[in-house]
Amino acid sequence: MQVIKNAVHVGISRVSYMYFAHGIEADSLSAFKDTVKYSIGSVCIGSILEPFFTAIQDSACAMNSITGDTDEFMFSCTNCYSGVARRLVINKDHATAISLYAFLIGYFMSRITMSWPQACVSAYYVVYAENPESLRFDTTIPVRIKELQQSPA
């Protein structure tokens, strides 16, 4: 599912980039075919590595927020993990497994669905970074930059 989501993201980013940067309306189906033909290796590698990087970042963030400045994390959470593991076992009832599978399927389907607008937005920002003075842009990005500059850090 992650590979499909990232392949859609790459293909639609190309279509959006061509439109915003050069004013060319490209066919999204041909862009997706080109992505599968020429970039699928990079997409697969990125899709494989992304969960590992995300897990590392999330665990580091979680440990920092839980422990603060102490080193007690490794000793204090053993009971927490065993309690969670006990709760996940439901005798012969498979409600937990079915719930987890349903969640994962829904999660990945929503990720695939959201790859289209995310690709458009990322292409918009890349083209803006290349040429902020282009006449194809409205005031969305400059207004947001001013808001960020005026807000307290």
Side-chain angles (χ1 to χ4, degrees):
M1 294 275 193
Q2 192 73 9
V3 172
I4 295 170
K5 177 239 178 223
N6 288 336
V8 169
H9 189 98
V10 169
I12 299 306
S13 292
R14 178 179 174 204
V15 172
S16 298
Y17 178 84
M18 294 300 288
Y19 177 74
F20 287 125
H22 306 292
I24 299 171
E25 291 190 19
D27 180 35
S28 58
L29 182 60
S30 65
F32 185 70
K33 285 180 182 178
D34 287 346
T35 299
V36 171
K37 188 174 182 180
Y38 299 111
S39 302
I40 198 67
S42 298
V43 169
C44 289
I45 290 171
S47 298
I48 290 169
L49 295 177
E50 182 181 6
F52 293 113
F53 293 143
T54 303
I56 290 169
Q57 289 175 334
D58 291 347
S59 64
C61 182
M63 280 201 242
N64 286 337
S65 67
I66 290 173
T67 61
D69 291 332
T70 63
D71 292 330
E72 299 177 19
F73 177 75
M74 297 304 280
F75 302 109
S76 65
C77 286
T78 306
N79 291 332
C80 298
Y81 285 120
S82 62
V84 169
R86 279 194 304 267
R87 287 189 169 251
L88 290 176
V89 178
I90 300 178
N91 296 338
K92 294 188 180 192
D93 187 11
H94 300 291
T96 302
I98 291 170
S99 298
L100 288 174
Y101 292 140
F103 169 76
L104 290 174
I105 290 170
Y107 173 75
F108 284 118
M109 291 303 291
S110 65
R111 293 285 303 248
I112 291 169
T113 304
M114 288 305 297
S115 66
W116 190 290
Q118 288 172 347
C120 292
V121 170
S122 62
Y124 184 86
Y125 278 97
V126 168
V127 174
Y128 181 83
E130 287 179 349
N131 184 10
E133 303 300 323
S134 175
L135 298 176
R136 298 187 197 285
F137 299 112
D138 58 3
T139 60
T140 303
I141 296 176
V143 167
R144 182 65 180 145
I145 290 173
K146 286 180 185 175
E147 288 174 359
L148 290 173
Q149 288 173 342
Q150 293 174 352
S151 68

